[in-house]
Structure formats: structure tokens, C-alpha cells
Amino acid sequence: MVLLEAIGQILTLNELMVAVIFGTFIVLLFRGVPVAMALVGVALIFYLFALVFLDPFRGAFRDVIEFDRIGIDWRKMGTLPSRLFGNIVQSPVLVALPMFIFMGLMLDQSGVAQRMMQSMQKLFGGLKGGLSLTVLLIGIILAASTGVIGASVTLLGVMALPAMMAQNYSKPIATGTIASAGTLGILIPPSIMLVIMSDQLAISLGDLFMGALFPGLILGALYIVFIVIYGLVRPQDMPVPDNTEAVSWAMVKDVLLSVIPPMFLILLVLGSIFAGLATPTEASGLGALGATLLAVAYGRFSWKVLREVSRSTLNTAGYILGIFLAANFFAYVLRLYGGDEVVEHMIEGVFENPYMVVAFILVIVFILGFLLDWIEITLIIMPLMLPIVQGLALDVPDYGTINDAQVVWFAILVAVTLQTSFLTPPVGFALFYLKGVCPPGVNLGHIYRGIIPFVMLQLLGLFIVFELPWLTTWLPSVAYGN
Amino acid sequence: MTLTPDEIAAVSDPGEVDRQSHNSADRTVIGLGNILAWLFPILMLVIVGQVFLRNFGRMGIGPGNQAWLDDMQWWIYGIACLMGVAYAVTTNSHVRVDIFYDRFPVSKQRRIDLFALGWLFLPFCILCWDVTFHYAVSSVQAMEGSSSPNGLHNLWILKILMNLSFIVIGLAIFARLTRLLGQEHRDDGWSRFVWALPSVALLINLALFYVLWWATRLTQPELALRAIQRDGYLMGEFEVGPYESHYTVWIALALTAILGGVLYARRAR
């Protein structure tokens, strides 16, 4: 009680409890408790704690510390099913989630990437850094046709890393290129991360897809420019093989032929949205069918492949939805404790300038990205930030056609920032997948050094998107303006 | 052993990994998941069908947009993804932060998993089952339909399925608890009781509540349904200090303690 009284001088009990809730969550998380279970566990523990301890003894607490009643009783649990049903099951947007996962897994099976690799490797073979360029180009094309990164990084690593090692590429630059190229998949539409953001922030998925296109391509272009310059400055890190064939028209034709099928898929997904033939959700179904047809065309399709892709989709969609269920319940309990207002006050109190507030949130996301992955950040942090961002006076052009233009811009900024969360150790999905397929001789130290320049490029890309909001909002305004 | 790129990149069947350690309940969940996984190709066809119907409909060909196909999309997605939650429990693929976890000894990893499953996830699941059960029952009583006139009617079916899916998730958790305890060579009743203590207490409480509820319902049919929770056998509330508490909760806690005592006395030494 004496301790509480001392704390009461600077915090309310609600603020203290919100800190304790997050603290408990982080402890459980770092013990290795799965995210979904840590979320529901913490929510249940503090639900019970308020029920049997905080609320009944509120009078005693109020003598020493400011305290708003939590107001929990078992009857309140009755709203849980309608929240679960209404927010998660009855959600037309989230239908796109399993479909984009299916599409990505199927595309990786189709052999499209292997074909591109073979033909581009020949064409760019004579250039300094030709293999890195090949990886980046394939990464960008794959990114525009799938929405998951795990399989893309694995695939690029398995295809390109042995070839790069055989050509004596420096290990950091080789691994850095692959990790960052594969990670683009979650930014360049279609992307399951944008699907989830659209659901959490209640903004149009079409706007998000179109808004993410330029920022994603800018990031890809930055990588390419970097590799070209790097090849000129330090050619010994990306040596040219001794026996290169001269570039011929046949090679160019080969590359074009290998690029046409994935282009067809991009056209099918993004084009159908752009032309208004399908909603973004429906585009996911079209994309899944397109990827399946490509697998058929390349002779890789079999019932076994379809079966295993479906089962892997079930697995991936399952663990993402598990976090959805859990985060929903967690957010509910956090709100009972007044966690929304606590976070809001904390962030709004720091800066006056609305742009500084956005920058501050992005810094938080960047730092959290070292420890957490995009799923946790988009599901737990984003909903808390939404009311703050909505309340800011930001000058984001909406061209009279986009609803919530500043939320769209904010979502894209976070999406670009989250690119770093895949690459930053100790917890980065891309690092994890790449480590799994590294040939002997490549270790984590090489990967860690390799990602540094790419993380800096991502931050540069973030700065560009931050400074030029029209990069985000112009395309969606054109797509839906007519 | 060297693998070709194709072999490494090939998706493997998540349900086949570590198959030899699965018990029959694990295989039941995997088997059910394997069947429901086919919903994804079906979902793909439903979506594509809708896109074609609508766009041809605009040109005056065919019946046009079908509202029931729209509803069907999220019906399929909802059922399949809830099943996926259970499937991911069995395949142990729920996302975790593994920087420290990976370096723990195997038995410590298992204890963390046991705690996460039995003390955190299973109670949530039982709670969700209970509340969605009432939700589904009231939906059935109202014969709830779709919000659009041509949509998929009988929304209550989906709500029942949501309720059932928590049983499947609970089964998946239980199966993995048993599997982990077996691997730790602690598959006696006492260990199970300890590692699932909150779930056991919650289950006893629920069972007691429903038994008493139905006992009242069957012996006193004149009592209104709503009144049973208040006036049924042992359903009343009483005050202890600052609490209003139910007799059922205290009886359930006492029963849990007795069960624990019996299992402790009978544990293998």
C-alpha cells in the first residue's frame, strides 16, 4: 500500500495495470509461449484479477491511488461470441487471407521462379552483380504476384545462394539481397499484411493495394540502384564469371517468355481490381486460380501438390487466425482497463506537431520490429494507434475520392517500416527462413552484416514516402476516381 | 545429405511431420483438417464463379451476381480457418518468439508448451465454447437468417459450427497435452490434473451448472427458463465479504480440490 501510494503520485492505478499487462505479455512471449496463447492467457489472468481483487477492493485502492473501476463481471463475457463472430468469421475482407496464402504457396510450386532464374541468370551473367540483380528482379515480380514472404525467401535462397557462392560473391551481400528481395512480397500488393491492416483499420483494401504499389516499387528500385553502384565500387564482392556468353536476342526472348506468365498473374489480380471487374477479395480467388493454372501449364500440377498446398494453407491461415481470436479478446480486456486512453495520452502528450506524432509511432514500430513480427504489430499495436492518427490534422491529399486518406497513408508508412522487422535480428522472419536453407560456410554473422545496407535503404524509402504523401494516395484516387 | 532445390522448396504435408509421435486424438484432428482443407480449392471456385457470374450478368448473360455466393465465401473461410486453429495446435505451428526458447533444453520447452496449452489456451477455449453455445442456441431459437434477402439463410448453422470448432480446438489441445506429458513420462492422472488445473476447475464448474440446470428444468417444468439461473437447485447467490458469489462456483472449487486430493493419493511413486 505504501508502494502504491508512492506510485500514485505519478500514475493512476489503471496506467500501472496497463504497464503490468504489457509487461506480463512480454515475459510470457520471451519464454517462448506462442503469441496467441500468451495473449489469451494474459487477458484471462487480468480478467480474473480485476474480478476477484481490483474491483471488490476498489474503495481501499482509491484511498491511496487514482482508480477507474474496471467494471468486469461474468455477464460481460456474453459479448465475446458476437465479437468473435462479427469481427472474425463474418468478415468478407478476411476471406482474401487464405486465398492469397494459397496463391503464394501454389506459385512457389509452379516452377515459374526457377524458369525466370535460369533465363535471367544467362542474360545478366556478364554484368557485375548480375546475380544480385536477377534475385532482386525475381523478388519484385514474385512480390507482385504473392502475398507471403516465407516461401519466397526460402525459394530465392535455395535457387540463388548456391549459384552466388559458386561465383564467389561476398556472403553478406548475397544473403542481404535475398532476404530483402524476398521480403518485398509482403509490401508490394497483393499482400496478406495489407489485408489484415485493411480489416484492423477499417479502410478499403483496394486503396491500400493501390497505395502500396509505388512505395513498394520505389523500395525495389532503391535496392537495384544500390546493387549497381555497389558493383561499380567494389567489383571484387560480386565477381563476373569467367565464361560468360555474349548477350544475344535469344536470351532476351527467353527472359521475356519466362516473365510473361507471372505478369499474366499480376495483371489478373491487380488488373481486375483496377478495372473494377472484381473486389480485392475476389481478386484473391482469381489469383489462386491463376497460380494453379500456371502450375498446370508448367507441368508441376498434381493432386498431391493441390492437396499439400491446401493443407499448408490450412496450417498458415490457422495460426494467423489464432492470433486474430486472441488479439480480439486481449484488446477487449485491455479496453476494460482503459488501455486505449492510456496509450493515447502517452503518445499524444509527447509531441505537438502531428507529423512528429506519426514519426514517433513509426520509431516505436521500428524498435518493436526488432522483437516482434508484423502479425503481432498489426494486430495489437495498429488498432491502438488508429484513433490517434484519425485525430491528427495531417495534410494528405485525398483528391476528393479517398476515404480516410491519412489513415491509408499511415498504414502504408507502417507497412514500409515493417519491412525492417523481417530483417532486423534477433527476431526476423526472413533471417529465420534464410538461415534454414544456407549452404555450409554461410553463417548468421554474414546474414546480419548483409542486411544492414538494406535496412538503411528501407529507412530511406520510408523517408521518401513520409515526405511525399501523394506517392501513396495518387494511384488509388485514379483507380477509383472514374 | 544434399537436397535439390525442388525438394527443399516443395511444400510438405504439415500433418505428416513427426507423425510417429501422434496419438489417436492428434490423428483425428489432422484427419478432420485434411478433409476441411479441400474447402480452400472450393472457396477459390466459388469466388471465381461469382466474378464470372457478375461480369457476364452486366453484359446481360446469365443470372448475374448471386448474394448467396457472397455469403458462402465467408461461411467457407470461417469454418476452414477455425479448423486451421486446431490444426496448427496439433502441428505445433502457432507463432512464437523463439530466440530464447530454441536454446532451452527439450524438457523445459515441453513444460512451457504444457503451461501455454493447459493453463492459458484450454481455459480460453472452454470459456469460448460455453459463451458461443448460448450464442448458437439463441440463434437457433430465432432461426436466424442472412442479412441479404437472397443470401444464405440458416445462419444458425454457421453459429453451431463455430461452437463445434471450439470443441475441436479443445480436442487438439488435449491431444497435444497428453502427447507432451507422455514424452515427459508423466502420463498419470495427477500430472494431467496439475498441468490442466484451471481447465479442470472450469470444466467441473460448467458440468455442475448444466447438470443442475437440467435437473431443475426436468423436475420443475413450471419454472420459467430465465428463472432457473436464479431459483434452480443451488443456483442462488450469497455474499462473502465484498463478493457476490454463486454456490455452484464454490462447490466446483471444492470438487476440484477433492479430485486433486484423490489423484495425488493415487499417483504412481
Side-chain angles (χ1 to χ4, degrees), chain A residues 80-400:
Chain A
L80 185 63
S82 58
R83 289 167 58 85
L84 294 184
F85 190 82
N87 297 347
I88 295 173
V89 176
Q90 197 166 16
S91 163
V93 171
L94 289 181
V95 173
L97 189 74
M99 284 293 94
F100 280 133
I101 295 170
F102 184 95
M103 175 181 165
L105 291 170
M106 188 56 104
L107 193 73
D108 288 333
Q109 287 302 297
S110 66
V112 170
Q114 283 88 339
R115 180 80 197 281
M116 283 196 284
M117 183 81 200
Q118 283 165 5
S119 57
M120 285 192 194
Q121 208 175 336
K122 272 191 204 149
L123 182 65
F124 298 129
L127 291 174
K128 293 189 187 74
L131 272 176
S132 282
L133 287 180
T134 307
V135 168
L136 284 175
L137 283 176
I138 297 176
I140 293 169
I141 294 172
L142 278 184
S145 34
T146 86
V148 269
I149 77 134
S152 304
V153 174
T154 313
L155 190 65
L156 286 173
V158 170
M159 285 190 320
L161 206 48
M164 289 169 129
M165 291 302 102
Q167 267 190 42
N168 267 327
Y169 267 55
S170 105
K171 285 162 191 161
I173 203 74
T175 48
T177 316
I178 292 171
S180 51
T183 303
L184 278 176
I186 204 89
L187 178 62
I188 298 181
S191 132
I192 56 169
M193 180 168 80
L194 297 178
V195 172
I196 292 176
M197 282 190 177
S198 138
D199 177 71
Q200 291 292 309
L201 301 177
I203 42 180
S204 144
L205 181 55
D207 285 352
L208 268 187
F209 272 10
M210 294 302 158
L213 196 57
F214 279 147
L217 292 178
I218 287 171
L219 215 49
L222 284 176
Y223 295 162
I224 291 177
V225 171
F226 168 74
I227 288 295
V228 170
I229 295 175
Y230 196 94
L232 294 175
V233 178
R234 286 181 65 94
Q236 69 273 29
D237 278 357
M238 295 189 271
V240 179
D242 304 327
N243 49 344
T244 49
E245 296 173 44
V247 175
S248 66
W249 282 112
M251 285 184 197
V252 178
K253 196 182 117 202
D254 219 27
V255 168
L256 286 179
L257 278 180
S258 73
V259 168
I260 286 174
M263 286 295 172
F264 149 78
L265 201 58
I266 297 171
L267 194 72
L268 186 68
V269 175
L270 296 185
S272 64
I273 303 174
F274 205 84
L277 292 176
T279 65
T281 311
E282 291 170 341
S284 68
L286 291 176
L289 183 71
T292 314
L293 292 179
L294 284 189
V296 173
Y298 278 75
R300 298 291 189 94
F301 182 86
S302 65
W303 289 109
K304 185 168 173 290
V305 166
L306 182 65
R307 196 176 68 210
E308 290 184 353
V309 165
S310 302
R311 290 177 184 178
S312 298
T313 307
L314 184 73
N315 203 33
T316 309
Y319 71 66
I320 294 181
L321 204 82
I323 302 180
F324 254 97
L325 286 175
N328 195 299
F329 182 53
F330 179 81
Y332 170 65
V333 173
L334 195 66
R335 192 166 312 138
L336 288 177
Y337 272 87
D340 300 31
E341 291 131 58
V342 172
V343 174
E344 212 168 311
H345 286 309
M346 195 182 83
I347 287 175
E348 280 178 339
V350 182
F351 295 104
E352 286 281 317
N353 184 333
Y355 287 93
M356 289 304 285
V357 175
V358 174
F360 181 57
I361 297 175
L362 294 177
V363 170
I364 295 177
V365 171
F366 175 70
I367 293 169
L368 285 176
F370 281 85
L371 300 176
L372 301 175
D373 274 314
W374 65 273
I375 310 180
E376 294 97 304
I377 294 177
T378 38
L379 283 173
I380 304 167
I381 308 298
M382 294 287 271
L384 288 174
M385 302 300 169
L386 177 63
I388 303 175
V389 175
Q390 278 172 333
L392 296 174
L394 297 169
D395 184 24
V396 180
D398 63 0
Y399 303 95

Side-chain angles (χ1 to χ4, degrees), chain B residues 58-216:
Chain B
R58 279 185 195 158
M59 293 185 283
I61 307 165
N65 196 59
Q66 299 293 314
W68 61 272
L69 279 176
D70 278 335
D71 282 356
M72 196 166 175
Q73 289 172 19
W74 54 263
W75 275 55
I76 295 179
Y77 139 82
I79 298 165
C81 286
L82 282 171
M83 179 66 222
V85 176
Y87 192 83
V89 168
T90 304
T91 59
N92 190 18
S93 23
H94 279 285
V95 191
R96 69 169 100 233
V97 176
D98 53 7
I99 29 173
F100 301 117
Y101 181 87
D102 271 355
R103 289 173 209 162
F104 290 154
V106 178
S107 79
K108 185 169 183 183
Q109 291 183 348
R110 287 194 192 127
R111 283 203 301 278
I112 289 171
D113 282 359
L114 282 168
F115 173 73
L117 291 165
W119 277 66
L120 305 180
F121 207 27
L122 193 53
F124 174 73
C125 226
I126 296 171
L127 205 67
C128 279
W129 176 83
D130 184 38
V131 289
T132 55
F133 180 69
H134 295 284
Y135 190 62
V137 167
S138 53
S139 175
V140 171
Q141 280 166 348
M143 282 316 233
E144 194 176 356
S146 167
S147 54
S148 71
N150 302 318
L152 270 193
H153 298 295
N154 305 327
L155 192 65
W156 54 272
I157 297 179
L158 187 59
K159 291 190 174 171
I160 290 180
L161 287 173
M162 174 164 91
N163 182 243
L164 292 180
S165 71
F166 283 106
I167 296 183
V168 180
I169 299 173
L171 176 70
I173 298 172
F174 174 76
R176 217 164 93 73
L177 268 179
T178 325
R179 183 176 6 142
L180 284 165
L181 282 172
Q183 286 166 344
E184 283 283 276
H185 305 293
R186 292 209 210 167
D187 37 7
D188 57 317
W190 168 244
S191 297
R192 283 184 199 171
F193 176 80
V194 169
W195 284 111
L197 183 54
S199 323
V200 175
L202 195 55
L203 266 184
I204 291 182
N205 183 29
L206 279 182
L208 188 69
F209 178 86
Y210 284 111
V211 166
L212 291 173
W213 196 91
W214 277 103
T216 316

